């Protein structure tokens, strides 16, 4: 039982590190795309405050997007697979 709990704890820590890395990377990519969209639309002109507001609005939309929530599959898939394997081994 303790070996299983240790496995789950180590797995959770590793998956958390992976989740944080993917989350930061995805958010930075979105920020870069928003900056590029601003440059394409305004040609480098425009107020810096307007650009910052544009990027902040885009990131708020990103925070509510499906893509952001799909990153949670980093937790769901491994733990779900482990639960399925345990079920199949014990009850089949």
């Amino acid at each position: 039982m303790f070996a299983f709990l240790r496995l789950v704890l180590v797995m959770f820590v590793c998956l958390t590190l992976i989740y944080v890395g993917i989350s930061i990377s995805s958010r930075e990519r979105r920020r870069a795309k928003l900056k590029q969209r601003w440059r394409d639309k305004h040609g480098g002109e425009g107020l810096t405050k307007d650009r910052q507001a544009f990027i902040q609005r885009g990131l708020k939309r990103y925070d509510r997007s499906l893509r952001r929530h799909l990153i949670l599959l980093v937790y769901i898939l491994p733990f779900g697979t482990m639960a399925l394997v345990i079920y199949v081994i014990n009850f089949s």
Side-chain angles (χ1 to χ4, degrees):
M1 183 66 178
F2 288 114
F4 177 71
L5 291 176
R6 186 174 28 175
L7 170 69
V8 169
L9 180 66
V10 169
M11 206 168 138
F12 183 75
V13 169
C14 291
L15 292 175
T16 299
L17 292 174
I18 292 170
Y19 173 80
V20 168
I22 292 172
S23 182
I24 290 171
S25 172
S26 179
R27 188 172 176 85
E28 288 304 313
R29 267 193 253 133
R30 177 60 61 183
R31 181 184 300 273
K33 286 182 182 180
L34 288 168
K35 286 180 182 179
Q36 184 62 40
R37 190 180 306 161
W38 177 266
R39 272 187 244 120
D40 293 344
K41 187 176 180 183
H42 296 285
E45 299 174 3
L47 296 175
T48 305
K49 289 184 179 182
D50 291 341
R51 179 175 160 242
Q52 290 173 351
F54 174 77
I55 292 171
Q56 289 302 318
R57 281 193 312 268
L59 289 176
K60 282 183 183 178
R61 259 187 269 129
Y62 169 72
D63 287 340
R64 294 185 309 263
S65 71
L66 179 64
R67 176 177 293 213
R68 176 95 157 94
H69 290 81
L70 284 176
I71 297 174
L72 288 173
L73 289 175
V74 167
Y75 288 112
I76 296 169
L77 291 178
F79 283 118
T81 303
M82 189 172 65
L84 180 67
V85 167
I86 290 171
Y87 176 79
V88 168
I89 288 173
N90 287 324
F91 299 109
S92 290

